[in-house]
């Protein structure tokens, strides 16, 4: 025992000291010895020196330090897998500035060009040639190159300034790029280093999540006629800069997303010659000097590349902003005047318009309208299953006073019970920005809820009919700042007001991979669509990327700061009622008095909003 215990302690010490992490390292390039031909040679030499300086962890059971990426365009330094001892040795290297551990990052149209007052006959669109020859680098989850939004019909040759590649990989070959999608690359060394057991399902620039395809087509998708989302938002889908070129840099995989891969993508994009970088990812709060996106975007700006980045989806609370650095365009999300609905017709002839995105061409005709006080929360599929004639019944679900019960939860219970459908009472503003609608029904206001309940209580055999796939263009006020859109100040830099600008980010129609489900009905029936409606500041940022690309096309000599200034100083601060733009959470609070609430419900709702 006396012999074994010291051995166990020594083994534990070796295990702890050899535990490895990925670090992002910043170096002062002026310290690079002249004997090195490239910065990669210098970085490799530093790693080789560490192997000698920290030999205690180098044996057959512990791997040696590993260089992942060398950065030289948006910042100077590298990312590497190191043990704690090796990291301490690294800090003694000549030119060392700072280092910190790699970290995960998260992801945060047929009508929006018109809503933004882009005119094909005059103004910025024709003046810029619709963005032709400007290159937008989209850093995201990849691309679905077969989408019609990436056709290159009518485009001229690829700009000579382009230095990038179309990198082949799993289910992706270089012939899939063209004069629109001029480049595709992917970066995953950091992700693989974070967990060597990971096996990538798609080791290429092909998009398996849809997010990157959606974002790229918003920024610069080619015009595609006759598209819709299961009948909603029909028309011609086009990007904001429909003749701009797209270069895709995939750093986000289904298996994970880390900062070191994002910085490698940014570094390569700047080297390749992009004009604009569009980033719909962020990582939250951290000191400015340890935020790689902040540092890399500053480097990109110094090279003349504008960075447009999403503000995050953690609103409406204050201080929830991502990407709040002074030198980039931080983009908030807002609504448009477009809405999607179904028409509810009660047995007494009363018609009510409610929000709906039920993705099936059908009409609910003379279903039983069920109102049962004990079932109105719609939180138990077992209870709902006991209702007679449930398959041809529409129930009324009410949850505004329950913080832990969402409309999506209620939809799940309705689907599991195989109920005919439901009318859901509007309480959470985010409900009106979601494309999740698994069963027939609509979301109605509390004012209309009272009318429906009164009819259900007084009619001997209450009936209801619902029609779907309706698109309207008369919402007022619009735009309104999305409730989910993150608010400033930026906790990493309190001295600058952020976000900078707002763009459409609610239920934006854009391209979608054909092998990734776009909707679900019932419990597990998945539907495909080449175009999908999505909401988020992720959708807002590429709108600004497209506008910036067109400004760059008109004024190629303008700096990123000049372009950002031009957009901010000419943006319209008024909504379509000619009043200052409001926030959705403000409207929700201020309009409570318009609805005939019962006193106890009003008190509960105010408490919920304040919470």
């Amino acid at each position: 025992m006396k012999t074994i215990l010291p051995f166990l302690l020594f083994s534990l010490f070796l295990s702890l000291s050899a535990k490895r992490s990925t670090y992002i390292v910043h170096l002062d390039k002026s310290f690079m010895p002249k004997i090195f031909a490239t910065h990669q040679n210098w970085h490799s030499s530093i790693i080789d020196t560490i192997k000698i300086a920290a030999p205690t962890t180098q044996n057959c059971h512990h791997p040696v330090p590993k260089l992942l990426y060398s950065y030289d365009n948006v910042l100077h330094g590298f990312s590497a897998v190191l043990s704690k001892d090796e990291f301490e040795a690294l800090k003694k290297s000549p030119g060392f500035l700072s280092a910190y551990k790699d970290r995960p990052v998260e992801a945060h149209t047929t009508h929006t060009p018109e809503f933004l007052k882009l005119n094909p006959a005059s103004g910025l669109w024709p003046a810029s040639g619709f963005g032709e020859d400007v290159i937008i680098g989209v850093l995201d989850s990849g691309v679905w190159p077969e989408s019609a939004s990436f056709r290159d019909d009518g485009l001229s040759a690829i700009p000579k300034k382009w230095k990038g590649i179309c990198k082949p990989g799993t289910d992706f070959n270089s012939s899939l790029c063209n004069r629109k999608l001029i480049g595709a690359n992917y970066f995953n060394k950091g992700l693989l280093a974070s967990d060597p057991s990971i096996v990538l399902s798609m080791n290429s620039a092909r998009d398996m999540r849809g997010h990157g395809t959606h974002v790229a087509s918003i920024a610069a998708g080619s015009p595609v006629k006759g598209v819709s989302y299961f009948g909603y938002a029909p028309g011609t889908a086009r990007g904001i800069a429909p003749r701009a070129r797209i270069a895709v840099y995939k750093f986000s995989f289904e298996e994970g997303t880390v900062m070191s891969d994002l910085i490698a993508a940014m570094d390569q994009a700047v080297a390749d010659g992009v004009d604009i970088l569009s980033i719909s990812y962020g990582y939250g709060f951290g000191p400015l000097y340890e935020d790689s996106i902040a540092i890399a975007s500053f480097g990109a700006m110094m090279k003349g590349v504008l960075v447009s980045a999403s503000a995050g989806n953690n609103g409406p609370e204050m201080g929830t902003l991502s990407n709040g650095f002074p030198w980039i365009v931080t983009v908030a999300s807002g609504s448009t005047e477009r809405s999607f609905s179904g028409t509810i017709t009660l047995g007494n002839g009363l018609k009510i318009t409610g929000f709906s995105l039920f993705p099936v061409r059908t009409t609910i005709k003379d279903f039983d309208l069920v109102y049962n006080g004990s079932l109105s929360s719609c939180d138990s599929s077992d209870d709902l299953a006991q209702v007679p004639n449930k398959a041809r019944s529409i129930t009324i679900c009410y949850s505004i006073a329950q913080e832990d019960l969402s409309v999506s939860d209620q939809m799940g219970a309705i689907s599991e019970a195989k109920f005919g459908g439901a009318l859901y009472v509007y309480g959470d503003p985010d409900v009106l920005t979601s494309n999740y609608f698994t069963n027939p029904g609509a979301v109605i206001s509390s004012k209309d809820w009272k009318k429906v309940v009164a009819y259900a209580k007084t009619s001997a055999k209450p009936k209801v009919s619902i029609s779907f796939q309706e698109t309207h263009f008369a919402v007022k006020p619009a735009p309104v700042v999305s409730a989910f859109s993150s608010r400033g100040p930026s906790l990493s830099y309190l001295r600058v007001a952020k976000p900078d600008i707002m763009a459409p980010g609610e239920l934006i129609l854009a391209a979608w991979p054909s092998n990734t489900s776009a909707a679900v009905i019932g419990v597990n029936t998945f539907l495909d669509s080449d175009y999908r409606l999505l909401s988020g500041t992720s959708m807002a940022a590429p709108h600004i990327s497209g506008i910036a690309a067109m400004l760059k096309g008109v004024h190629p000599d303008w700096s990123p700061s000049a372009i950002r200034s031009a957009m901010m100083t000419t943006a319209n601060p008024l909504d379509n009622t000619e009043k200052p733009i409001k926030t959705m959470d403000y409207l929700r609070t201020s309009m409570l008095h318009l609805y005939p609430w019962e006193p106890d419900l009003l008190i509960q709702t105010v408490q919920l909003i304040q919470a």
Side-chain angles (χ1 to χ4, degrees):
M1 181 63 72
K2 290 182 179 180
T3 304
I4 295 175
L5 183 59
F7 175 77
L8 290 175
L9 291 174
F10 180 69
S11 298
L12 178 62
F13 169 76
L14 279 181
S15 176
L16 292 174
S17 64
K19 185 177 180 181
R20 316 183 79 76
S21 301
T22 300
Y23 291 87
I24 297 174
V25 181
H26 296 266
L27 300 173
D28 183 343
K29 193 175 181 179
S30 66
F31 279 78
M32 185 176 81
K34 294 182 179 180
I35 60 171
F36 296 115
T38 67
H39 62 280
Q40 292 97 333
N41 296 144
W42 182 34
H43 299 164
S44 296
S45 174
I46 292 173
I47 295 298
D48 291 338
T49 302
I50 291 172
K51 295 176 185 178
I52 301 172
T56 57
T57 60
Q58 314 306 320
N59 56 54
C60 61
H61 300 292
H62 298 105
V64 296
K66 181 181 179 181
L67 180 67
L68 299 180
Y69 296 110
S70 288
Y71 309 125
D72 191 45
N73 294 289
V74 294
L75 59 84
H76 190 86
F78 59 82
S79 55
V81 180
L82 305 169
S83 69
K84 184 177 180 181
D85 291 339
E86 292 159 355
F87 176 62
E88 291 301 319
L90 168 69
K91 291 195 290 188
K92 301 175 183 177
S93 302
F96 176 85
L97 292 175
S98 66
Y100 40 85
K101 288 185 178 180
D102 200 3
R103 54 176 67 100
V105 289
E106 61 183 17
H108 290 172
T109 164
T110 55
H111 178 62
T112 50
E114 289 81 0
F115 183 70
L116 293 173
K117 301 296 187 292
L118 292 172
N119 190 319
S122 63
L124 188 57
W125 251 359
S128 67
F130 298 85
E132 188 164 8
D133 290 347
V134 179
I135 303 172
I136 302 176
V138 179
L139 284 68
D140 215 286
S141 63
V143 67
W144 193 260
E146 294 85 357
S147 171
S149 288
F150 305 120
R151 293 186 308 211
D152 62 358
D153 302 352
L155 288 177
S156 58
I158 295 172
K160 294 182 179 180
K161 64 183 177 181
W162 172 244
K163 302 174 184 176
I165 62 172
C166 191
K167 185 176 180 179
T170 307
D171 292 340
F172 198 107
N173 59 62
S174 57
S175 65
L176 291 172
C177 291
N178 56 24
R179 290 170 297 180
K180 162 61 72 173
L181 180 64
I182 63 174
N185 209 333
Y186 56 99
F187 304 83
N188 52 39
K189 293 179 182 178
L191 175 61
L192 296 175
S194 69
D195 183 358
S197 67
I198 286 178
V199 178
L200 296 175
S201 59
M202 186 57 63
N203 192 23
S204 71
R206 182 169 292 279
D207 183 13
M208 300 301 289
R209 293 173 51 205
H211 192 272
T213 299
H214 201 268
V215 165
S217 65
I218 291 172
S222 298
V224 184
K225 295 181 179 179
V227 305
S228 72
Y229 174 75
F230 301 105
Y232 298 95
T236 298
R238 60 170 63 84
I240 298 302
R243 295 182 70 83
R245 315 308 174 105
I246 298 171
V248 167
Y249 298 84
K250 178 179 177 179
F251 70 94
S252 180
F253 292 76
E254 289 187 290
E255 293 76 15
T257 306
V258 297
M259 186 70 75
S260 56
D261 293 334
L262 169 56
I263 303 309
M266 293 180 72
D267 199 69
Q268 188 61 56
V270 172
D272 289 345
V274 304
D275 299 296
I276 310 293
L277 281 178
S278 188
I279 305 175
S280 290
Y281 282 71
Y283 112 92
F285 170 68
L288 199 61
Y289 56 84
E290 287 191 357
D291 193 320
S292 294
I293 299 180
I295 298 168
S297 60
F298 184 84
M301 178 196 69
M302 295 298 289
K303 296 288 180 67
V305 178
L306 180 140
V307 179
S308 170
S310 51
N313 302 328
N314 295 314
E317 289 77 14
M318 303 294 287
T320 54
L321 194 75
S322 294
N323 301 320
F325 331 122
W327 41 84
I328 71 171
V329 186
T330 309
V331 188
S333 167
S335 65
T336 69
E337 87 277 36
R338 182 175 64 183
S339 65
F340 307 110
S341 62
T343 296
I344 303 151
T345 304
L346 303 181
N348 61 3
L350 178 64
K351 292 183 181 292
I352 295 171
T353 299
F355 169 76
S356 184
L357 278 173
F358 183 60
V360 176
R361 179 171 299 206
T362 185
T363 299
I364 299 298
K365 183 69 173 177
D366 292 331
F367 274 36
D368 294 337
L369 179 62
V370 176
Y371 178 70
N372 184 323
S374 63
L375 296 179
S376 62
S377 61
C378 298
D379 59 350
S380 171
S381 57
D382 292 336
D383 292 341
L384 290 164
Q386 306 306 313
V387 175
N389 197 30
K390 62 179 181 179
R392 286 190 55 82
S393 297
I394 300 293
T395 189
I396 305 169
C397 299
Y398 183 83
S399 66
I400 196 168
Q402 300 184 41
E403 296 182 53
D404 58 346
L405 184 63
S406 67
V407 169
S408 60
D409 293 331
Q410 292 176 323
M411 287 185 183
I414 293 291
S415 296
E416 289 177 10
K418 298 182 179 179
F419 217 87
L423 301 179
Y424 306 94
V425 182
Y426 163 69
D428 179 359
D430 286 346
V431 170
L432 305 183
T433 65
S434 173
N435 64 7
Y436 183 79
F437 225 106
T438 60
N439 41 65
V443 179
I444 61 177
S445 70
S446 56
K447 182 179 180 180
D448 290 330
W449 164 79
K450 191 170 184 178
K451 296 176 184 177
V452 174
V453 170
Y455 165 70
K457 286 181 176 180
T458 58
S459 176
K461 292 183 178 180
K463 298 289 184 178
V464 62
S465 301
I466 311 174
S467 60
F468 302 99
Q469 296 181 324
E470 299 174 2
T471 302
H472 304 282
F473 296 93
V475 176
K476 290 186 178 182
V480 173
V481 180
S482 306
F484 61 74
S485 189
S486 291
R487 311 299 205 265
S490 169
L491 298 182
S492 62
Y493 199 85
L494 294 169
R495 297 183 179 182
V496 175
K498 290 279 179 172
D500 296 303
I501 199 167
M502 182 180 72
E506 294 188 7
L507 295 174
I508 305 302
L509 186 74
W512 194 252
S514 60
N515 75 330
T516 303
S517 73
V520 59
I521 56 174
V523 177
N524 56 6
T525 301
F526 298 95
L527 306 179
D528 296 337
S529 174
D530 291 333
Y531 288 82
R532 190 182 188 191
L533 293 166
L534 285 181
S535 298
T537 55
S538 287
M539 285 65 251
H543 280 83
I544 296 303
S545 301
I547 296 292
M550 291 189 290
L551 283 171
K552 185 72 173 179
V554 177
H555 302 283
D557 57 331
W558 277 13
S559 69
S561 296
I563 295 173
R564 178 164 61 100
S565 176
M567 289 189 290
M568 292 176 63
T569 54
T570 58
N572 189 353
L574 304 179
D575 60 29
N576 56 4
T577 68
E578 296 301 316
K579 294 181 180 179
I581 293 172
K582 300 176 179 63
T583 65
M584 177 58 73
D585 42 305
Y586 167 82
L587 286 176
R588 181 186 179 198
T589 305
S590 64
M591 293 176 68
L592 284 177
H593 68 281
L594 299 180
Y595 298 116
W597 297 77
E598 298 175 11
D600 60 325
L601 297 180
L602 177 58
I603 292 171
Q604 290 173 328
T605 304
V606 172
Q607 289 174 340
L608 175 58
I609 293 171
Q610 291 174 340

